[in-house]
C-alpha cells in the first residue's frame, strides 16, 4: 500500500522535474534528455496503474522512437547558435501569469466540488483473472476499437508521406 | 398576354440584357442600338397596360401569384393598382429616355453600361409591381447594385466616394427595413400560425400601437433615406453630382420615388395606427417642411449646376412626403402626381445639365452665361423644364404642388403656410440659375462654338415636354386613375373619412 | 354669330400668335442675336447697333401678331355688345374640368371637392377688362412694330407680347380663382421674359428675376387665400363664392373672412406693386418701353385691382381688411409720388407715377368704391400707356437717352409726340374735362364721403394729386421746353417717330380725353345718365353699392363742389409750380434742392429703400464679420433676391455649412471610425505564433473564469 | 470472441466511402511513384481522383436509403447529418483538386502526393461527419489536420508557405492537446467514449458540475480553434495567406465545414443538455468573431488574408445559428455552411485564376481593371462577393436570412442588430474589391489563368451561388432533412 | 500516509499540462515547443489511464495508445516542416518567423 504511494510520488517527481527541466534547459539536447526522464516517469505511472502494455509502448515508441527522431532533427538543424541566444520570448512573464491564472482557476474547480472528481475508491487489482493486460488490450483493440485502429494506420501513412514531402530536398 | 403582362414588362429589359451579353463588346453601335430598342420596347409594352386597366376597380389588377420559396412563405406576387400604374409608366419612359440620352455621352465600356441600365430598369419596375414583401425587398436591393456601378464607374472625379456613400447609406436603411419586415412576418406567424410575406395577408393583422410604431420607424429609416428626407439626404447631392447624366436622371426620376412609394404602399396600409399617430405625423411633417425650405435654400448658394438641381429635388420630395402624411385624399394623390412631375421636370433638368456637360465637361455655373445666344433652342427647353419644376400653372408642377397644398391645408394650415414658401424659393433659385447660365453675355470664349440641340436630344426631351403639358392642362385622367386606390388607402388609415355630408356645388 | 358662347376663343388667338412666333418664328425672322451679345462693349441697347434688314417674313410677323390681338378685340366687342343685350348681365362658358381634386373636409366638416373648370365668365367687370386689354394691347402692338423695328429677336418680342395678352385675357375671363391664378402667374412669367428681353444686359436679367420672385411672394399669399376660401366656402368659382358668401352670416366666420381677404390682398400688392412689394416695378423699366406701357402701366399691374374688385363681395364682409387696403393704397400713392418728384430718368418718373396711381385705385377699393377703382383703372390705362409710349418715342428720338437733364426743347422737333403727351399730362394731372379728372376726382370724393373712407386718406390723396401734377409737368418742362441740353451728335439724330408709332399715340390721346365722359360725377346732373354709363354698367357686379350711392346723395352737394374745385386748384398749382421751377426760373430748382438738401437726397435716393436692403446685405454682413459672412457677402453682391434675401443667404450658407460639416461629417466620421477600429484588431496579429497561443490560453482563462464568477 | 469483433457487412457498407477514399488515396500515392512518375502523366492522377470521388459519391448515394444505420458498435452512423456534410466535402475536394492541376504547375510544386493528401483529408472528414465515438472523432480529426499541415506547407520552396505550415501545426497540435484533455475528462465522466453514453452520463450530473464544465470548456475551446472563431482564430489569417491558394480554399471550406460538423455533433449531442452553460460563451465568441473578422478585414490589402478574416466572421454568423438553436437556427447553420462552401470556393478560385507565371495576384490591386480584362471573371467575382456580403438575390442572402430569422424568433434581438450592423461593415470591404475590379485601371495586361477545370469549377460555383439564391427551395429541403432531427 | 487516489493523478496531469503550456508559450526554440506539446499529450494520457483504472475498462488505455500515435505523427510531420523551414530561413526561433502578420 505505502509502496504504491511511494512509487507514485517518485514517478510523479520524475515526471514533473523532467518536464520542468525540459522546458527550462538552454540546449535542445538537454531538453530532449530531460524529456526522456519525464516520459519515463509517466511510463512508471502507467505501470502503477496496471497498464503494462502502455508502459511498454511508452518506453519503446516514445523513448525509442520519438526521442531518436528529436535528437536526429536536433543534429540536422544545428542548434548551437540557437542555444546561445536567449531562450525565452518577450511574453514569457505574461504567459507565466496567464498559466498561473489557469492553474488557480483549476484549483477553484477543485475546491468547488472535490466530490465530482473522486469517482470511486481505487479498487484493488482483480488478480488478473482474464489474462494479462496486453491480451486484453489486444482483444479490445482489434474488436471494439478496430475502426480507430484502421484510421490510425492511415494517419501514420499520412505522417510518413507528409514528413517525407516536407523534409526531402526534391521529390 | 394580359394575365402575364406585368411579368412581360418586368422582364423585357432583362431579356434585352441577355441578348446584349451575346453582342461582342467591339460592336459599340450595335450595342447602343439594341439597348435603345429594348428599352423602347419596354415602354411600348407598358403602354398596353392602359388598354385594359380598369380605373373603376380599386384593388390590384394584372395580378400574378406563384409560390417562389414556399417554405419561407415567399411568393412571386405582382400586380398593379392606379398608383403603381403611374409609377411603372414613369419608370419605363424615363428608362428609355435615359438610355437614349447617353448615346454619345458614354463611350467607355458601353456594353456593361447599358447592361447596368437595363438591369436597373427591371429592378425598379419590380419594386413598383411586387406585392410580396420579400420580392419587393429583393428588387429594392437589386436596384442598388447597378446604380452603384453607374456612379462608381462612369461617374465624375469623386465617383468612388459618392458611390460608396450612396451604397452604404441606402443599404443601412434597407437592412433596418428588413428587420421591420421580419417583425411583421413573425407577428403574422404568431397570429395565424404560418409564415408569409404576402402583403395582402399581412394586411389582416392589426398590431398594437407600440409595435406598429417600432416597425414604422424601421420602415421610415429605409424609405426616408431613399426619398431622401431631411436629415438623411446628404448622399443625394454627391451621388447626383458624380453620376453620369443617365444615372442622375434615373436616380432623381425613379429611384427617389421608391421611397415615397414605399410609404404609400407599405407604411400606411400595413401600419395604419402608427401612421395616424400624431407624434409620428408631426415629426415627419416637420421634417418634410424643413426639407422643402432647407433644400431650396441650399440650392440657392450652389456653385455647381448639377448640385443645385440635386438639392432642388430634396425640396420637391419634401412636398411629396408632406402630402403623404397630410393623410387625406388630396395630399396623397397630389403627392403621387407630384412624384410623376418631379420625375418629368427634374429628369429634364438633369438632361439639360447633361447636354451642356457633354459639350463642355464642366458643371460650374460660373463657367457659363449667355448660352441663350449660342443655343436658343436649348435655352427654350431649359426654360420649359425650369418653369415646370417651379410650378408654373398649365404645366405639371403646379397641379401636383397645389393638390398637395390642399391636402396640407386640410391637415394643418400652418404646414401649407410654410410649404408655400418653398414655391417662392423654388422660383428664386431656378431663375437665378437660369440667369447665370443662359442670360447675360457670352463672356467665356469656350461657349461660343457650342452646337444647339441635336435631333436625338430633341427626341429625348420631346416626350417629357408633351407629358408635362398634358398633366398641366388636363390632369383629370390621372386623378381618375388615382381616385379608387387613394380612397381605399385613406379608408384604411382613417376609417370613415368618406362618410359625412357632401358638398354638392362646384 | 354668337360671340358670347365663343368667348373662350378670345384668349386663343393671341396664344396662336405666340406659339407661331416661338416655334417657327426663328425661320420667319432669321437673326442670330449672338453676334450682338458676345462682345462686352456692345452691352448697351442693341437697338442702334443691331444691323438688321427687315424682310417680307418680318412683315408677316408684324402683320400676324397685332392682327391676332385685333381679332380678339373685335370678338370682345361683339361679346360685350351681346352681353349688353342680355337681361341679366352675366354669361359663363365652361370648356372642361381642369383641376379635379379629391374629397376634402371643409372647416365645417362638409366634404367638398376642389374643382376648377376651364371656364370663362363674361360680366360687366370682365368685359371692361377685356376691352382695355385687347384695345390698348392692340395699339401697343402696332406701336411696337415701329419701335422694335430694328431690334434683334423681333419675333421673340411679339411672341412674348402675344403670350402676355393670352394670359392677361385668361386672367380677366376666368370664372374661378384657380384659372385666374393661371393668368396671374402667366402674366408674371411674360413680364419676366419681357423685362429680361435684352437678356445680354445683366441689369435686365436681375430686374426680371426680381419681378418674378417678388410676385411669387404675393402669389404665395394668393394661393393660401384661395385654399382658405375653398376650405371655408367649398368652392373657388366666383359665382358660387359670392352666393355662399351671401348665405354666410358674417359673424360666423368673421376672422376667417378678413384673413382670406388679407391673403388675397397680399397677392394683389405683389402684382400691383403696392408697398412693400412695389420694389420690382421701377426696375422693370429695364424692359422695352412698349412693354412698360402695356404690362407695367395699362394691364398687368392692374390685375391686383381687378382681383380685389372681383372679390368685392368678400371684401365688403371684411371691413378691417378693406381699411388696410385703403391705408396701404394711400401710403403707396404718396410715397411713390414723393419719389417721382425728383427722379431724372424719364421712365422712372412714369414708373413711380404708375405706382402711385395704383395706390389711388386701392384707396378706392379700400373705401368700397369699387366701380371708381375700375374706372380709374380704365382711364389710367389710356393716359399712362400714352405717357409711356410717348416717352418711348422721346427716347427713340434721343437715340436711347433717358435722362431728362440732357433733354429739353423737343416740342418742335417731335410735335406729335409732344402734343399727345401734353394731353396725357393734363389728364393725369386731373384737369377737368380729361379722363384723369373724372376718375381721380371721384376717388377723392369717395375717400371723403364713403363710409369706409376718412378725411386723412382724402388729405393724402389731395397732396398726392398736387405732387402728381408737379412731377408730371416737371417732366414735360424738362423734356420739351427750355433750351436743348443734349450733345450735338444726338441732337442731329432727333427725328419724329414713324407713323406706326405716332398713330397709336394719337388714338390714345383721343381716348385720354374722351375716356372720362362715360363716368361723370353724379353731381353734374345736367348730363343725364348717359354719361354715367360706366357706373351703371358695373352696378350688377358691385350690386350692393346702390345702397351706398343712395346714402351718399344726401351728404351735402356743396361740399362735393368745394372739394372738386379744391382738387382742380391743387392740380393747377402743381403745374404752375413746376413751370416756375423748371421753366421760368430753372435756378430755383437748384436752390430748392440746396435748401432742402437731406430731404431732396432722400427722395432722390427713393427713401433709400434699396440702400436699406443693401445695408442689410453688405454692411450688416461685413460688420457682422466672420468668414461665413464674407463669403455670403460676395454672394449677395452677385445680386441675390431682394426681400428676405439676406436672410435667405444667411440661412442657406449656414445650412450648407451644417450639411457639409455636421450631417455629412457624421457619415464620413463613422466610416473613418470603422477604418480606425480595424487597426487595433489587426495590430494584435503580430505574426508571433506564441502570442496566438497566448490568446488561446486567454480564451481558456475566460471560459474558466466564466464558470468561476458565475 | 465477443460479437463486436466481427467485421459485418453493415460495417462495411457504412465505412465504404472512407475505404474508397483511403484506397484511392493510397493508389494515387503509389501510382505517383511507380506507374506515372513522369510529369506529363499527372493528368492520370487527376483522373484517379475524379474516379475515386465518383465511387465515393456512388457509395454515399447508396447510403441515402439507409439513414439511421450505425456500425462498429455505434461508433459510426449514417444519418442525414453525415451525408449532408459528406456531400459538401466531396464537392469541395473535387473542385479543389480539379483546379489545383494548373495552379500547381504555375507554382512549380506539382507532386502526386498532393492529390493523395486531398483524398486522405477527405477521408478524415468523413469520420468527423459520421463518427459518434470520441476516439474515432479524435483520430479522424488528426488525420484531416495532418493532411492540411502538409498541404499548407506544400510550397516547400517558399518561406511563407513553410511559416504558415509551421504555425498551423504548432497551434493545431497545441489546441488538439487541449481537445484531447477535454476528451479524457469526458471519458472520466462517462467511463465510455461513445457519445450516447457520455450524453446520458452528463445529463445525470448537476448542470454546473465542475468536471463537466472542465470538459466542456477545454473541448469547446479546441473545437472553436478548429472553426477559427475568435479569439482562437489567429492561426487562420497567417495559414490562409501562406498556403497555396487552392489549399486555402480547401482549408477555408472543407476543413471548416468538417470542424463545424464535429462541433455540432458535440454541442447538440453530449453537451445538448448544457445549453444554459455554453450559450453565453458561444454568444461572446460569436460577437467577438464578428467584430474581429469584420473590422480586421476592412484594412487588408491581401485578398486571401481578407477572405480569411471574413471567414472568421462567417464562423461567427454560423455560431449565431447554433446559439439561436431552434429548428430554423440549425437549418440555418446547414444552409449557411452549404452556401458558404460554394461562394467562398468561388471567391478563392478567382484568386487562383489571378495567379499567373511571375504574377502573385493576391493583392486587391491585382483585381484592378478586371472588368475590361476579363468581364466573365469580374462578374463571377461580383456574384461571389455579393453573396458573401449577403445581398439578395444571391445565396449568401438566404444563409444570413435564416440566421437572422432564427435570432429574431428566439428573441436575441440585440444579436440580430449587431449582426445586421456588421453586414454593413462587411459590405464596405467586399466592395473595396468590387470597386477596384470595376473602377480602377489595370496595371498589367497578362490574361488570367483559365484552364478548363478552372472555368468548369467557376461555372459550377457561380451557378450554385446564384441558383441557391434565386430558387433555394430544394436546398432548403436538403438542409431540413439533414439537420432537421435536432 | 494518504492512499493515492485518482485525484492525485488528475492533479499531476494538470501540473504537467500547465508546464507543457508554459513551454509552448515561452520557449523560442521550436523543437522545444514540440517537446512541450508532447508533455501536454502525456498529461492527457495520465488522465486517461487514471480514469481507465477508475472505471476498470480498457477504453482509457486504448485511447491513450491512439493519443501516443497521434503525438508521434504530429511530431514527425512537425519536425519535417521544421526542416523545410530551416532550409529556407536558417532559424528555428519561433519569434523570428513573422513574415505573415496583420
Amino acid at each position: 500500500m505505502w509502496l504504491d504511494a511511494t512509487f507514485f510520488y517518485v514517478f510523479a517527481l520524475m515526471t514533473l522535474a523532467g518536464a520542468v527541466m525540459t522546458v527550462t534547459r538552454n540546449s535542445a539536447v538537454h531538453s530532449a534528455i530531460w524529456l526522456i526522464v519525464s516520459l519515463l516517469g509517466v511510463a512508471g505511472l502507467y505501470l502503477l496503474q496496471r497498464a503494462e502494455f502502455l508502459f511498454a509502448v511508452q518506453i519503446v515508441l516514445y523513448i525509442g522512437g520519438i526521442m531518436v527522431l528529436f535528437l536526429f532533427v536536433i543534429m540536422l538543424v544545428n542548434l548551437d547558435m540557437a542555444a546561445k541566444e536567449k531562450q525565452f520570448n518577450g511574453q514569457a512573464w505574461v504567459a507565466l501569469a496567464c498559466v498561473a491564472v489557469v492553474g488557480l482557476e483549476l484549483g477553484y474547480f477543485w475546491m468547488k466540488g472535490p466530490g465530482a472528481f473522486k469517482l470511486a475508491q481505487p479498487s484493488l487489482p482483480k488478480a488478473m483473472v482474464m489474462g494479462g493486460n496486453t491480451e486484453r488490450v489486444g482483444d479490445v483493440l482489434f474488436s471494439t476499437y478496430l475502426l480507430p485502429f484502421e484510421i490510425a494506420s492511415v494517419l501514420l501513412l499520412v505522417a510518413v508521406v507528409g514528413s517525407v514531402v516536407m523534409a526531402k530536398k526534391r521529390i | 398576354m394580359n394575365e402575364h403582362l406585368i411579368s412581360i414588362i418586368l422582364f423585357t429589359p432583362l431579356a434585352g440584357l441577355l441578348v446584349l451579353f451575346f453582342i461582342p463588346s467591339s460592336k459599340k453601335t450595335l450595342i447602343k442600338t439594341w439597348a435603345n430598342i429594348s428599352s423602347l420596347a419596354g415602354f411600348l409594352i407598358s403602354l398596353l397596360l392602359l388598354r385594359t386597366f380598369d380605373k373603376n376597380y380599386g384593388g390590384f389588377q394584372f395580378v400574378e401569384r406563384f409560390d417562389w420559396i414556399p417554405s419561407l412563405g415567399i411568393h412571386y406576387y405582382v400586380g398593379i393598382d392606379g398608383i403603381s400604374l403611374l409609377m411603372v409608366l414613369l419608370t419605363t419612359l424615363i428608362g428609355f429616355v435615359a438610355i437614349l440620352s447617353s448615346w454619345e455621352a458614354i463611350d467607355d465600356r458601353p456594353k456593361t453600361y447599358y447592361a447596368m441600365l437595363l438591369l436597373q430598369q427591371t429592378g425598379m419596375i419590380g419594386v413598383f409591381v411586387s406585392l410580396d414583401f420579400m420580392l419587393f425587398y429583393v428588387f429594392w436591393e437589386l436596384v442598388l447594385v447597378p446604380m452603384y456601378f453607374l456612379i462608381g464607374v462612369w461617374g465624375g472625379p469623386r465617383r468612388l466616394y459618392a458611390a460608396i456613400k450612396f451604397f452604404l447609406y441606402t443599404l443601412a436603411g434597407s437592412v433596418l427595413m428588413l428587420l421591420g419586415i421580419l417583425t411583421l412576418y413573425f407577428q403574422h406567424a404568431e397570429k395565424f400560425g404560418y409564415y408569409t410575406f404576402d402583403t395582402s395577408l399581412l394586411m389582416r393583422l392589426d398590431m398594437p400601437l407600440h409595435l406598429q410604431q417600432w416597425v414604422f420607424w424601421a420602415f421610415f429609416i429605409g424609405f426616408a433615406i431613399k426619398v431622401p428626407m431631411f436629415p438623411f439626404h446628404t448622399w443625394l447631392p454627391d451621388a447626383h453630382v458624380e453620376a453620369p447624366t443617365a444615372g442622375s436622371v434615373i436616380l432623381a426620376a425613379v429611384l427617389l420615388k421608391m421611397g415615397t412609394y414605399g410609404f404609400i404602399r407599405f407604411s400606411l396600409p400595413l401600419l395604419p395606427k402608427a401612421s395616424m399617430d400624431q407624434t409620428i405625423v408631426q415629426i415627419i411633417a416637420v421634417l418634410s417642411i424643413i426639407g422643402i425650405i432647407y433644400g431650396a435654400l441650399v440650392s440657392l448658394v450652389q456653385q455647381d449646376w448639377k448640385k443645385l438641381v440635386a438639392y432642388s429635388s430634396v425640396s420637391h420630395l419634401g412636398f411629396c412626403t408632406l402630402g403623404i402624411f397630410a393623410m387625406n385624399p388630396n395630399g396623397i394623390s397630389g403627392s403621387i402626381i407630384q412624384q410623376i412631375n418631379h420625375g418629368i421636370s427634374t429628369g429634364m433638368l438633369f438632361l439639360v445639365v447633361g447636354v451642356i456637360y457633354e459639350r463642355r465637361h464642366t458643371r460650374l455655373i460660373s463657367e457659363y452665361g449667355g448660352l441663350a445666344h449660342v443655343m436658343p433652342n436649348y435655352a427654350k427647353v431649359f426654360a420649359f423644364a425650369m418653369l415646370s419644376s417651379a410650378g408654373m400653372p398649365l404645366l405639371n408642377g403646379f397641379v401636383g404642388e397645389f393638390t398637395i397644398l390642399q391636402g396640407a391645408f386640410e391637415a394643418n394650415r400652418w404646414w401649407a403656410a410654410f410649404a408655400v414658401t418653398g414655391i417662392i424659393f423654388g422660383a428664386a433659385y431656378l431663375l437665378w440659375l437660369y440667369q447665370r447660365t443662359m442670360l447675360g453675355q457670352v463672356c467665356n470664349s469656350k461657349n461660343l462654338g457650342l452646337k444647339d440641340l441635336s435631333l436625338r436630344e430633341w427626341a429625348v426631351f420631346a416626350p417629357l415636354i408633351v407629358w408635362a403639358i398634358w398633366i398641366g392642362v388636363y390632369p383629370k385622367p390621372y386623378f381618375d386613375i388615382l381616385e379608387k386606390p387613394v380612397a381605399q388607402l385613406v379608408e384604411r388609415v382613417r376609417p370613415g373619412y368618406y362618410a359625412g355630408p357632401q358638398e354638392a356645388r362646384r | 354669330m354668337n360671340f358670347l358662347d365663343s368667348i373662350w376663343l378670345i384668349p386663343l388667338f393671341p396664344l396662336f400668335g405666340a406659339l407661331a412666333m416661338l416655334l417657327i418664328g426663328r425661320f420667319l425672322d432669321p437673326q442670330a442675336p449672338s453676334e450682338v451679345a458676345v462682345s462686352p462693349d456692345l452691352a448697351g441697347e442693341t437697338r442702334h447697333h443691331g444691323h438688321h434688314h427687315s424682310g417680307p417674313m418680318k412683315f408677316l410677323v408684324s402683320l400676324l401678331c397685332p392682327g391676332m390681338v385685333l381679332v380678339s378685340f373685335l370678338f370682345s366687342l361683339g361679346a360685350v355688345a351681346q352681353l349688353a343685350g342680355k337681361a341679366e348681365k352675366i354669361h359663363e362658358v365652361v370648356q372642361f374640368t381642369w383641376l379635379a381634386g379629391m374629397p376634402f373636409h371643409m372647416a365645417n366638416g362638409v366634404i367638398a371637392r376642389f374643382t376648377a373648370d376651364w371656364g370663362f365668365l363674361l360680366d360687366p367687370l370682365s368685359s371692361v377688362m377685356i376691352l382695355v386689354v385687347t384695345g390698348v394691347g392692340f395699339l401697343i402692338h402696332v406701336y411696337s412694330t415701329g419701335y422694335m423695328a430694328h431690334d434683334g429677336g423681333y419675333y421673340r418680342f411679339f411672341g412674348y407680347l402675344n403670350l402676355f395678352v393670352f394670359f392677361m385675357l385668361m386672367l380677366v375671363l376666368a370664372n374661378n380663382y384657380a384659372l385666374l391664378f393661371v393668368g396671374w402667374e402667366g402674366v408674371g412669367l411674360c413680364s419676366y421674359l419681357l423685362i429680361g428681353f435684352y437678356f445680354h444686359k445683366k441689369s435686365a436679367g436681375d430686374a426680371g428675376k426680381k419681378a418674378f420672385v417678388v410676385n411669387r411672394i404675393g402669389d404665395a399669399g394668393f394661393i393660401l387665400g384661395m385654399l382658405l376660401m375653398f376650405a371655408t366656402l367649398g368652392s373657388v368659382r366666383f359665382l358660387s363664392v359670392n352666393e355662399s358668401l351671401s348665405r354666410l352670416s358674417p359673424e360666423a366666420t368673421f376672422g376667417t373672412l378678413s384673413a382670406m381677404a388679407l391673403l388675397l390682398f397680399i397677392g394683389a400688392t405683389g402684382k400691383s406693386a403696392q408697398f412693400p412689394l412695389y420694389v420690382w416695378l421701377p426696375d422693370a423699366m429695364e424692359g422695352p418701353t412698349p412693354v412698360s406701357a402695356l404690362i407695367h402701366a395699362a394691364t398687368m399691374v392692374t390685375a391686383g385691382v381687378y382681383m380685389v374688385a372681383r372679390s368685392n363681395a368678400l371684401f365688403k364682409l371684411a371691413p378691417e381688411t378693406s381699411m388696410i387696403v385703403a391705408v396701404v393704397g394711400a401710403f403707396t400713392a404718396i410715397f411713390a409720388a414723393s419719389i417721382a418728384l425728383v427722379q431724372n430718368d424719364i421712365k422712372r418718373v412714369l414708373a413711380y407715377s404708375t405706382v402711385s396711381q395704383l395706390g389711388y385705385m386701392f384707396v378706392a377699393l379700400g373705401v368700397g368704391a369699387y366701380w371708381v377703382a375700375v374706372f380709374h383703372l380704365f382711364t389710367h390705362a389710356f393716359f399712362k400707356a400714352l405717357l409711356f409710349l410717348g416717352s418711348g418715342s422721346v427716347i427713340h428720338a434721343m437715340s436711347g437717352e433717358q435722362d431728362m437733364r440732357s433733354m429739353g426743347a423737343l416740342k418742335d422737333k417731335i410735335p406729335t409726340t409732344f402734343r399727345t403727351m401734353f394731353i396725357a399730362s393734363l389728364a393725369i394731372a386731373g384737369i377737368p374735362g380729361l379722363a384723369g379728372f373724372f376718375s381721380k376726382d371721384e376717388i377723392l370724393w369717395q375717400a371723403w364721403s364713403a363710409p369706409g373712407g376718412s378725411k386723412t386718406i382724402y388729405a393724402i390723396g389731395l397732396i398726392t394729386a398736387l405732387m402728381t401734377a408737379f412731377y408730371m409737368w416737371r417732366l414735360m418742362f424738362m423734356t420739351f421746353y427750355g433750351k436743348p441740353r443734349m450733345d450735338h451728335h444726338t441732337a442731329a439724330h432727333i427725328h419724329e417717330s414713324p407713323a406706326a408709332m405716332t398713330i397709336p399715340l394719337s388714338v390714345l390721346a383721343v381716348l385720354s380725353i374722351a375716356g372720362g365722359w362715360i363716368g361723370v360725377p353724379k353731381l353734374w346732373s345736367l348730363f343725364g345718365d348717359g354719361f354715367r354709363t360706366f357706373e351703371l354698367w358695373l352696378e350688377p357686379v358691385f350690386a350692393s353699392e346702390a345702397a351706398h350711392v343712395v346714402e351718399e346723395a344726401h351728404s351735402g352737394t356743396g361740399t362735393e363742389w368745394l372739394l372738386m374745385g379744391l382738387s382742380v386748384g391743387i392740380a393747377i398749382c402743381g403745374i404752375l409750380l413746376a413751370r416756375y421751377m423748371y421753366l421760368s426760373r430753372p435756378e430755383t430748382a437748384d436752390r430748392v434742392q440746396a435748401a432742402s438738401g437731406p430731404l431732396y437726397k432722400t427722395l432722390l435716393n427713393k427713401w433709400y429703400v434699396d440702400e436699406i436692403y443693401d445695408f442689410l446685405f453688405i454692411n450688416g454682413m461685413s460688420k457682422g464679420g466672420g468668414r461665413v459672412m464674407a463669403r455670403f457677402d460676395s454672394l449677395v453682391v452677385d445680386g441675390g433676391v431682394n426681400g428676405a434675401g439676406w436672410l435667405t443667404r444667411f440661412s442657406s450658407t449656414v445650412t450648407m455649412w451644417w450639411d457639409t460639416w455636421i450631417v455629412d461629417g457624421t457619415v464620413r466620421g463613422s466610416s473613418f471610425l470603422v477604418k480606425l477600429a480595424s487597426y487595433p484588431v489587426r495590430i494584435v496579429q503580430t505574426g508571433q505564433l506564441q502570442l496566438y497561443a497566448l490568446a488561446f490560453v486567454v480564451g481558456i482563462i475566460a471560459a474558466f473564469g466564466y464558470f468561476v464568477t458565475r | 470472441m465477443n460479437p463486436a469483433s466481427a467485421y459485418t457487412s453493415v460495417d462495411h457498407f457504412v465505412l465504404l466511402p472512407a475505404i474508397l477514399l483511403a484506397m484511392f488515396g493510397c493508389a494515387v500515392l503509389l501510382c505517383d511513384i511507380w506507374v506515372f512518375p513522369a510529369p506529363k502523366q499527372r493528368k492520370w492522377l487527376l483522373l484517379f481522383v475524379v474516379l475515386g470521388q465518383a465511387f465515393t459519391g456512388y457509395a454515399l448515394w447508396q447510403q441515402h436509403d439507409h439513414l439511421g444505420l450505425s456500425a462498429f458498435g455505434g461508433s459510426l452512423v449514417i444519418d442525414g447529418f453525415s451525408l449532408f456534410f459528406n456531400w459538401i466535402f466531396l464537392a469541395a475536394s473535387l473542385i479543389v483538386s480539379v483546379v489545383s492541376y494548373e495552379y500547381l504547375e504555375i507554382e512549380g510544386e506539382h507532386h502526386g502526393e498532393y492529390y493523395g493528401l486531398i483524398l486522405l483529408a477527405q477521408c478524415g472528414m468523413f469520420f468527423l461527419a459520421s463518427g459518434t465515438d470520441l476516439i474515432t472523432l479524435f483520430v479522424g480529426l488528426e488525420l484531416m489536420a495532418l493532411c492540411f499541415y502538409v498541404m499548407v506547407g506544400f510550397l516547400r520552396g517558399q518561406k511563407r508557405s513553410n511559416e504558415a505550415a509551421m504555425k498551423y501545426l504548432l497551434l493545431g497540435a497545441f489546441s488538439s492537446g487541449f481537445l484531447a484533455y477535454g476528451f479524457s475528462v469526458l471519458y472520466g465522466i462517462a467511463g465510455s467514449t461513445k457519445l450516447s453514453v457520455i450524453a446520458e452520463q452528463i445529463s445525470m450530473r448537476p448542470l454546473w458540475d465542475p468536471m463537466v464544465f472542465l470538459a466542456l470548456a477545454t473541448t469547446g475551446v479546441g473545437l472553436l480553434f478548429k472553426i477559427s472563431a475568435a479569439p482562437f482564430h489567429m492561426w487562420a489569417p497567417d495559414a490562409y495567406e501562406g498556403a497555396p491558394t487552392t489549399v486555402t480554399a480547401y482549408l477555408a471550406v472543407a476543413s471548416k465545414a468538417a470542424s463545424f460538423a464535429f462541433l455540432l455533433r458535440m454541442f447538440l449531442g453530449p453537451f445538448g443538455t448544457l445549453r444554459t452553460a455554453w450559450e453565453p460563451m458561444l454568444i461572446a465568441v460569436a460577437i467577438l468573431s464578428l467584430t474581429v473578422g469584420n473590422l480586421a478585414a476592412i484594412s487588408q490589402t491581401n485578398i486571401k488574408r481578407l477572405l480569411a478574416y471574413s471567414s472568421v466572421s462567417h464562423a461567427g454568423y454560423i455560431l449565431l445559428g447554433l446559439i439561436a438553436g431552434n429548428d430554423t437556427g440549425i437549418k440555418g447553420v446547414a444552409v449557411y455552411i452549404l452556401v458558404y462552401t460554394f461562394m467562398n470556393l468561388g471567391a478563392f478560385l478567382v484568386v487562383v485564376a489571378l495567379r499567373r507565371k511571375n504574377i502573385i495576384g493576391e493583392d486587391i490591386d491585382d483585381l484592378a481593371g478586371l472588368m475590361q480584362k476579363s468581364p466573365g471573371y469580374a462578374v463571377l467575382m461580383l456574384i461571389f462577393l455579393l453573396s458573401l456580403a449577403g445581398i439578395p438575390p444571391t445565396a449568401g442572402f438566404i444563409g444570413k436570412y435564416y440566421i437572422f430569422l432564427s435570432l429574431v424568433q428566439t428573441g436575441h434581438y440585440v444579436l440580430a442588430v449587431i449582426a445586421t450592423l456588421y453586414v454593413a461593415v462587411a459590405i464596405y470591404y467586399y466592395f473595396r474589391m468590387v470597386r477596384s475590379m470595376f473602377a480602377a485601371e489595370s496595371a498589367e495586361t497578362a490574361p488570367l489563368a483559365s484552364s478548363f477545370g478552372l472555368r468548369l469549377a467557376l461555372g459550377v460555383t457561380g451557378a450554385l451561388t446564384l441558383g441557391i439564391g434565386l430558387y433555394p427551395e430544394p436546398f432548403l429541403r436538403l438542409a431540413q432533412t439533414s439537420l432537421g432531427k435536432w | 500516509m494518504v492512499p493515492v487516489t485518482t485525484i492525485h493523478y488528475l492533479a499531476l496531469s494538470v501540473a504537467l499540462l500547465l508546464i507543457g503550456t508554459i513551454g509552448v508559450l515561452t520557449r523560442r526554440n521550436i523543437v522545444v515547443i514540440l517537446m512541450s506539446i508532447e508533455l501536454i499529450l502525456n498529461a492527457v494520457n495520465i488522465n486517461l489511464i487514471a480514469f481507465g483504472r477508475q472505471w476498470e475498462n480498457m477504453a482509457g488505455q486504448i485511447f491513450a495508445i491512439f493519443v501516443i500515435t497521434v503525438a508521434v505523427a504530429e511530431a514527425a510531420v512537425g519536425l519535417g516542416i521544421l526542416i523545410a523551414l530551416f532550409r529556407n530561413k536558417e532559424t528555428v526561433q519561433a519569434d523570428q518567423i513573422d513574415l505573415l502578420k496583420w
Side-chain angles (χ1 to χ4, degrees), chain B residues 286-369:
Chain B
V286 168
L287 285 182
S288 314
I289 290 169
I290 294 177
I292 293 173
I293 297 172
Y294 170 93
L297 292 188
V298 178
S299 333
L300 212 42
V301 289
Q302 290 309 320
Q303 299 305 316
D304 180 320
W305 191 335
K306 216 168 175 184
K307 211 165 194 162
L308 192 154
V309 183
Y311 272 109
S312 79
S313 349
V314 175
S315 174
H316 285 291
L317 268 300
F319 270 103
C320 295
T321 41
L322 182 65
I324 295 172
F325 284 91
M327 231 34 108
N328 49 37
N330 283 307
I332 294 173
S333 54
S335 163
I336 296 160
I337 301 256
Q338 181 62 7
Q339 288 168 40
I340 305 292
N341 296 337
H342 177 261
I344 298 169
S345 36
T346 311
M348 278 171 78
L349 285 174
F350 274 118
L351 287 168
V352 164
V353 185
V355 166
I356 199 66
Y357 188 74
E358 261 179 54
R359 290 161 172 63
R360 289 273 283 98
H361 296 289
T362 174
R363 286 182 306 260
L364 281 185
I365 297 172
S366 52
E367 281 283 315
Y368 299 105

Side-chain angles (χ1 to χ4, degrees), chain A residues 106 109 112-113 116-117 119 139 143 145 147-148 151-152 154-155 157-159 161-162 165-166 168-171, chain D residues 1-2 5 15 26 111 113 120 127 135-136 139 142-143 146-147 150 153 156 188 193 205 209-211 213-214:
Chain A
L106 286 170
F109 277 34
K112 185 88 181 167
F117 289 97
L119 304 166
D139 241 355
S143 60
Y145 294 102
L147 177 62
I151 307 172
V154 180
L155 179 80
L157 173 70
V158 170
V161 173
V165 168
M166 282 297 132
K168 205 158 172 288
K169 271 208 173 48
R170 60 184 76 272
I171 311 165
Chain D
M1 310 250 300
N2 57 25
S5 64
L15 190 57
C26 304
H111 310 297
E113 290 80 359
L120 294 177
F127 293 111
I135 302 180
T136 317
V139 183
E142 285 307 318
L143 173 55
L146 276 182
C147 298
V150 179
R156 306 167 311 147
T193 54
R205 283 172 167 266
D209 180 57
M211 193 160 172
F213 191 84
L214 183 60

Side-chain angles (χ1 to χ4, degrees), chain B residues 54-85:
Chain B
D54 172 12
K55 64 180 200 271
N56 300 322
Y57 173 60
F60 290 99
Q61 311 182 28
F62 305 96
V63 172
E64 296 173 53
R65 195 175 190 286
F66 314 107
D67 280 354
W68 177 24
I69 310 180
S71 59
L72 297 184
I74 300 179
H75 320 278
Y76 174 79
Y77 180 22
V78 297
I80 61 167
D81 63 356
I83 301 170
S84 5
L85 173 68

